Amino acid sequence: MTAHVIADATEALAVATALAEEFRAGAAERDAERRLPRAELDRLSASGLLGVTVPAEHGGADVDALTLAEIFRLLGSADGSLAQIPQSHFAYVNVMRRQGTEEQRKFFFAELLAGSRFGNAQSEAGTKHVQDIRTRLARQGDGSHRLTGVKHYSTGALFADWIPVLARTEDDNLHVAYVPRDAPGLTVVDDWDGMGQRTTASGTVRLDGVAVPADRVLPHHLTFQGPQLHGAVAQLLHAAIDVGIAGGALAEAAEFVRTRSRPWFESGVESAAEDPLLIQRFGELAVQVRASEALLREAARAVDAAGADLTDTSAAEASVAVAAAKVQAAGAAVTVAGALFEVSGTRSALNSLNLHRHWRDARTHTLHDPTRWKIQHIGRYVLNGTLPPRHGLL
């Protein structure tokens, strides 16, 4: 595979803007037909966007968090499913940046600049909780490993070149094994049937004694032994997707009201767009979207500031800022996507229009992690100065 190499943040945003408009055109049809976006992902790979966080010393643009968040907001405004697919890609690029050896970074960063995609095999179903990882990485006599386990919600795995697998070794420490998509013993099952984000193919990955060379394993547990931004960056991208979904829903609602809705007979106006009650409601929804966008930018700047001077305090500030952005974005995405029908009228509920994809995507995506716990950590930090935990989900 070959890909364009993006030079800087300005070019990255221009490419993301163009791709978002291209992807927007077919989003409703892809969702309605559950047509997996293989061609669109190939375009994303070829564009060079998947390599924009590769460090400059390895030939990448090394864009900041503010730019990366805006890329995801743009993609999310066009297609809430498509934007979700590369979220884990960038999370595991960050693992490589932080924990990879020089040789590992050299190899994988070249892969990324050539357009390779990381998927993920992280979550498991039926365990005690989300961090109860039971997939095992067993060390062999020659120094290699064997992977055994079953993963669920493996967004991006079906389309990936490499699948980072979260697993525990004999000492119960958490590691990430970077496994080729076509490795013997690795099976990806397209059994995702969520009501929203239908085309993410977030299905099952089965690992039956998959052989993994020693140089494809990273000690992920070390990520959380000091101040870190792994969770903050991952959650920032989730927030950006939610903000994008909210903005996309608002834009589509406005276009529908301007061009298709009829005014309520009591309003005394000629078009629905002149109805003062609808104008009021659009203003309220716009405030929610703008607040989400502002908090997203603030959070991204906090992540960038912490990255420049990483301490327990700066990491905590970044995590709390991202948590606040995620709470606001999740609420806005569900509210605005639901209000689309309220402001657009009965016709907007026609299944053939598939406007409900915005709400389904918002409702599904915002289930990734509970905002109620984010609010708890924000409150503890503000009231008692308690630093948020380093578990990677904040």
Side-chain angles (χ1 to χ4, degrees):
M1 183 181 294
T2 58
H4 172 69
V5 177
I6 289 175
D8 53 29
T10 300
E11 185 183 5
L13 291 175
V15 170
T17 299
L19 282 180
E21 288 307 306
E22 180 182 325
F23 297 159
R24 191 187 316 278
E29 290 76 16
R30 284 193 299 273
D31 177 271
E33 300 168 6
R34 198 178 178 270
R35 175 163 52 83
L36 299 182
R38 296 182 186 277
E40 288 77 14
L41 287 170
D42 285 344
R43 291 276 295 119
L44 187 65
S45 289
S47 76
L49 279 182
L50 297 181
V52 294
T53 58
V54 170
E57 60 267 29
H58 289 271
D62 203 5
V63 303
D64 55 14
L66 184 63
T67 301
L68 191 60
E70 179 63 5
I71 290 170
F72 272 80
R73 187 195 69 80
L74 289 165
L75 295 176
S77 73
D79 186 335
S81 282
L82 188 53
Q84 179 61 33
I85 294 170
Q87 190 272 342
S88 290
H89 168 95
F90 284 99
Y92 285 103
V93 174
N94 275 351
V95 174
M96 182 61 63
R97 288 186 62 144
R98 186 174 175 92
Q99 299 302 339
T101 65
E102 182 57 30
E103 285 303 310
Q104 287 171 328
R105 289 195 295 264
K106 181 179 179 180
F107 174 81
F108 278 107
F109 290 156
E111 288 280 294
L112 294 170
L113 291 178
S116 287
R117 296 191 287 264
F118 287 168
N120 95 88
Q122 179 170 286
S123 295
E124 299 179 13
T127 56
K128 186 176 180 180
H129 50 68
V130 71
Q131 291 200 322
D132 181 15
I133 302 297
R134 299 183 183 180
T135 297
R136 308 310 294 186
L137 187 67
R139 188 176 180 86
Q140 307 299 294
D142 61 359
S144 67
H145 300 79
R146 292 277 177 177
L147 265 175
T148 303
V150 180
K151 299 290 189 175
H152 298 270
Y153 313 117
S154 301
T155 302
L158 191 68
F159 316 110
D161 300 291
W162 294 88
I163 301 179
V165 180
L166 208 57
R168 295 193 184 277
T169 48
E170 291 87 343
D171 55 9
D172 213 36
N173 281 328
L174 207 56
H175 289 68
V176 177
Y178 289 72
V179 183
R181 167 68 177 81
D182 59 357
L186 187 153
T187 306
V188 181
V189 184
D190 179 22
D191 56 0
W192 170 243
D193 66 347
M195 70 172 183
Q197 295 198 307
R198 289 176 171 174
T199 61
T200 59
S202 301
T204 301
V205 172
R206 300 185 184 280
L207 304 146
D208 184 15
V210 177
V212 184
D215 62 355
R216 295 292 180 264
V217 176
L218 277 69
H220 193 33
H221 62 285
L222 298 180
T223 300
F224 308 105
Q225 291 187 2
Q228 50 82 33
L229 297 173
H230 176 79
V233 172
Q235 290 295 309
L236 181 73
L237 302 187
H238 279 308
I241 293 167
D242 289 339
V243 175
I245 291 171
L250 183 63
E252 189 143 14
E255 177 65 15
F256 194 95
V257 170
R258 285 192 297 264
T259 61
R260 306 185 73 165
S261 294
R262 296 183 297 177
W264 184 244
F265 71 96
E266 293 178 284
S267 67
V269 296
E270 292 299 315
S271 72
E274 297 173 296
D275 183 336
L277 298 182
L278 281 181
I279 290 171
Q280 174 74 18
R281 188 62 175 133
F282 269 95
E284 293 167 350
L285 297 173
V287 168
Q288 287 214 38
V289 172
R290 285 174 176 255
S292 300
E293 292 171 345
L295 282 175
L296 181 68
R297 289 192 294 269
E298 178 183 294
R301 292 188 181 106
V303 170
D304 285 328
D309 182 20
L310 189 59
T311 65
D312 285 334
T313 300
S314 66
E317 287 285 350
S319 290
V320 169
V322 171
K326 184 65 169 64
V327 170
Q328 170 64 26
V334 173
T335 297
V336 175
L340 182 154
F341 305 99
E342 169 197 337
V343 297
S344 300
T346 306
R347 189 185 305 179
S348 65
L350 292 176
N351 198 54
S352 59
L353 297 175
N354 200 17
L355 293 176
H356 48 73
R357 74 185 185 281
H358 297 291
W359 184 87
R360 288 186 290 99
D361 283 348
R363 184 65 282 173
T364 301
H365 182 251
T366 54
L367 298 175
H368 268 86
D369 45 87
T371 57
R372 60 186 177 273
W373 274 99
K374 296 184 185 302
I375 292 171
Q376 281 284 311
H377 292 306
I378 294 168
R380 291 169 184 172
Y381 182 73
V382 171
L383 182 59
N384 298 316
T386 304
L387 299 184
R390 294 173 178 166
H391 53 43
L393 295 174
L394 193 71

